[in-house]
């Protein structure tokens, strides 16, 4: 940037610009604040090689995460943390000590409380005489405070098929929140020609899951995005195994409960969840809510742990299939559920009727997406998503209509394509009212169906306003009391770690009128 432009930048923006520059530099070669350099020694084994993170922001608290690394770690290690109002740590708000235990992969989940609402903080760790990098986080606004919200939705970051250039750009977006909507890791082995091969074969055991998380989290661009803002996360299938449903794996393995227990344990060990979310055997609760001042309520769903198995699977397997209605009448079973009865009830009872927005953070595309013409009476549908559970989708949307829930915006991932859609009780009736808006974001790296297949199916789905499977990146949102604004942020080349990014499309939603419109 020319010197003249820097000099002309208003003083109130200089700190933000400097911070963005530092985060972007750190995405290509991890950079440390001067106080870190004073204490670093070349002979030290790196103890914070997987970075740091924050999450679950409330008006007075946040969760701080790290995991110690390197050989020769004792079974129990004291880890100090501190959180400050300023980047130089001259005004420290809280500090404490956690014990990182080998039984939990030496992970740390610190939970400072008594913080001020709606403000930015900086945090860091120290263990075995070594400091961590510095992270930035923030608290949610007070429950009755006016607010705006800048956030991104992200998902599906298979390590071996692309570079994490998208995360470098997320780190520079000046976001209040990052919502990660599933498939943080992939359990597959790499193909011989993989761009960035992962370690080992298929992931099944606790140590293998831990190793796969370590591979993904070693990426400096991902570390920069974690260090730039707090995250809210939900999982999808690949954190355990492709297309799993409840305690049933795709390959019908008899010991799947043990595998799921290992996967959930490793997930908690590597994510900024509180201690109260620590899994018990094969169970871990990720369902939750966050109120963002008077502006919005965010509902976080789990569509894997409690779902009924997919109907009409391929012979000898479980999991997804693409079926016609005539060949698979089980699709219409009114008792089948994607969320489980208890979670369905929790959501139905927890819609916010006073705030202008209800954001539903879940895993996949909710809009009906027929792959052949339903007007001929026999459309075909993919059974792993909401199309495989149409009665459950209708129950959810009927509740939205009956209770007149304001500002429902469904956020999803999973399908490796950017979709913008109107949600209706009857997708075949053009007169059926729009009840909610949907934004389903593409993958960070994971590959999608060919674009011609998506284009061909668009004719059968007029409620889908945008559909692109040839784009990698994320969706960026700005929310205020009157309007939601969304940008489709698309990488130039996912195979280039230094890829640029562009805005491919813009949409908006009025708080008083569901349905997305081009902006």
């Amino acid at each position: 940037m020319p010197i003249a432009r820097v000099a002309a930048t208003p003083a109130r923006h200089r700190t933000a610009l400097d911070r963005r520059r530092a985060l972007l530099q750190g995405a290509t070669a991890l950079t440390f604040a001067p106080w870190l350099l004073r204490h670093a020694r070349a002979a030290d084994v790196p103890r914070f090689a997987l970075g740091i993170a924050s999450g679950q922001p409330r008006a007075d608290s946040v969760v701080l995460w790290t995991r110690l690394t390197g050989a020769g770690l004792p079974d129990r290690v004291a880890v100090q943390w501190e959180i400050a109002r300023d980047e130089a740590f001259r005004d420290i708000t809280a500090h404490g000590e956690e014990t990182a235990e080998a039984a939990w992969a030496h992970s740390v989940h610190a939970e400072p409380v008594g913080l001020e609402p709606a403000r930015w903080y900086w945090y860091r760790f120290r263990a075995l005489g070594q400091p961590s990098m510095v992270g930035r986080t923030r608290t949610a606004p007070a429950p009755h405070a006016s607010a705006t919200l800048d956030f991104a939705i992200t998902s599906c970051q298979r390590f071996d098929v692309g570079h994490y250039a998208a995360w470098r750009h997320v780190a520079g977006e000046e976001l209040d929140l990052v919502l990660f909507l599933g498939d943080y890791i992939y359990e597959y082995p790499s193909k011989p020609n993989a761009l960035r091969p992962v370690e080992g074969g298929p992931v099944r055991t606790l140590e293998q899951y831990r190793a796969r998380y370590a591979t993904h989290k070693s990426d400096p661009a991902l570390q920069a995005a974690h260090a730039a803002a707090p995250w809210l996360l939900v999982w999808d299938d690949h954190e355990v195994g492709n297309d799993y449903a409840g305690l049933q794996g795709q390959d019908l393995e008899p010991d799947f409960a043990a595998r799921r227990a290992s996967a959930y344990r490793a997930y908690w060990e590597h994510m900024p969840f509180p201690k109260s979310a620590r899994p018990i055997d094969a169970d871990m609760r990720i369902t939750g809510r966050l109120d963002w001042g008077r502006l919005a309520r965010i509902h976080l769903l789990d569509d894997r742990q409690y779902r009924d198995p997919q109907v009409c699977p391929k012979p000898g397997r479980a999991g997804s299939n693409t079926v016609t209605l005539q060949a698979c009448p089980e699709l219409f079973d009114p008792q089948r559920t994607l969320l489980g009865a208890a979670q369905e009830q929790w959501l139905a009872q927890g819609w916010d009727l006073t705030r202008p927005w209800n954001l539903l953070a879940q895993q996949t595309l909710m809009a009906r997406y027929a792959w052949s013409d339903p007007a001929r009476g026999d459309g075909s549908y993919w059974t792993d998503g909401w199309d495989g559970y149409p009665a459950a989708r209708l129950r959810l949307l009927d509740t939205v209509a009956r209770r007149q829930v304001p500002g429902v915006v469904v956020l999803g991932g999973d399908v490796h394509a950017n979709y913008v859609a109107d949600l209706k009780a009857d997708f075949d009736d053009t007169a059926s009212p729009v009840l909610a808006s949907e934004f389903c974001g593409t993958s960070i790296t994971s590959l999608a169906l060919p674009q011609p297949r998506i284009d061909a199916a668009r004719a059968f789905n007029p409620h889908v306003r945008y559909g692109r499977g040839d784009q990698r990146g994320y969706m960026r949102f700005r929310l205020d009391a009157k309007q939601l604004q969304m940008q489709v942020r698309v990488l130039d080349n996912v195979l280039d770690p230094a890829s640029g990014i562009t805005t491919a499309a813009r949409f908006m939603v009025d708080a008083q009128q569901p349905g997305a419109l081009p902006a």
Side-chain angles (χ1 to χ4, degrees), residues 61-365:
S61 66
V62 71
V63 176
L64 309 178
W65 172 92
T66 193
R67 176 192 165 190
L68 301 184
T69 58
L73 286 171
D75 285 346
R76 294 167 61 85
V77 181
V79 181
Q80 293 79 38
W81 59 268
E82 53 189 1
I83 185 167
R85 295 182 180 87
D86 66 309
E87 197 168 1
F89 287 83
R90 286 187 288 266
D91 187 2
I92 294 175
T93 301
H95 61 89
E97 183 174 290
E98 300 289 331
T99 300
E101 302 178 62
W104 295 95
H106 289 101
S107 62
V108 177
H109 301 73
E111 301 176 50
V113 296
L115 306 180
E116 299 173 40
R119 73 159 298 144
W120 288 98
Y121 288 92
W122 286 260
Y123 64 97
R124 62 190 180 187
F125 298 90
R126 174 176 289 276
L128 300 173
Q130 210 176 110
S132 74
M133 65 190 296
V134 173
R136 189 181 70 141
T137 191
R138 66 157 296 158
T139 50
H144 302 295
S146 299
T148 60
L149 176 60
D150 286 274
F151 68 97
I153 62 170
T154 60
S155 63
C156 304
Q157 55 172 1
R158 184 164 176 173
F159 187 87
D160 54 1
V161 299
H163 285 289
Y164 284 174
W167 287 127
R168 181 167 51 87
H169 294 287
V170 168
E173 288 273 17
E174 291 294 322
L175 301 170
D176 298 310
L177 280 175
V178 174
L179 271 61
F180 191 88
L181 303 179
D183 295 342
Y184 194 97
I185 64 166
Y186 279 74
E187 79 285 14
Y188 302 135
S190 291
K191 295 180 179 179
N193 62 344
L195 179 70
R196 299 196 294 173
V198 296
E199 79 299 327
V203 175
R204 296 288 186 274
T205 68
L206 177 58
E207 290 307 316
Q208 289 171 335
Y209 280 110
R210 286 170 171 171
R212 190 58 55 88
Y213 277 104
T215 295
H216 284 65
K217 294 182 81 70
S218 69
D219 187 279
L222 175 58
Q223 291 187 18
H226 270 298
W231 285 36
L232 294 174
L233 300 103
V234 295
W235 54 38
D236 195 24
D237 53 340
H238 290 290
E239 287 87 352
V240 181
N242 184 55
D243 280 3
Y244 87 93
L247 288 172
Q248 176 178 283
Q250 177 180 259
D251 298 322
L252 299 173
E253 55 200 277
D255 59 345
F256 186 78
R259 179 182 175 185
R260 196 179 92 170
S262 295
Y264 284 7
R265 185 184 184 105
Y267 182 82
W268 181 85
E269 290 171 346
H270 290 85
M271 299 298 153
F273 279 89
K275 298 181 185 72
S276 61
R278 191 189 322 232
I280 300 174
D281 298 324
D283 300 314
M284 177 179 167
R285 182 185 172 98
I286 64 168
T287 303
R289 288 194 180 93
L290 169 66
D291 289 339
W292 196 263
R294 287 204 312 255
L295 179 69
R297 174 166 290 179
I298 303 172
H299 311 259
L300 299 158
L301 299 187
D302 180 348
D303 81 351
R304 285 291 163 188
Q305 187 171 187
Y306 314 113
R307 69 158 66 190
D308 291 322
Q310 301 89 341
V311 294
C312 305
K314 297 175 183 178
R317 293 173 68 83
S320 69
N321 197 2
T322 300
V323 300
T324 64
L325 300 181
Q326 289 182 356
C328 189
E330 296 94 324
L331 279 172
F332 294 110
D333 182 349
Q335 301 303 315
R336 298 187 67 252
T337 174
L338 185 67
L339 302 178
Q343 190 177 199
E344 277 195 23
Q345 184 178 27
W346 172 87
L347 178 62
Q349 294 175 347
W351 292 111
D352 194 303
L353 305 183
T354 61
R355 291 174 173 85
W357 298 101
N358 281 267
L359 306 182
L360 192 63
Q362 49 88 58
Q363 289 76 6
T364 191
L365 181 68

Side-chain angles (χ1 to χ4, degrees), residues 451-468:
Q451 185 62 29
R453 284 194 62 188
I454 294 173
D455 291 338
R458 286 284 305 282
F460 313 136
N461 302 281
H463 51 279
V464 176
R465 296 176 175 268
Y466 186 90
R468 292 289 296 270

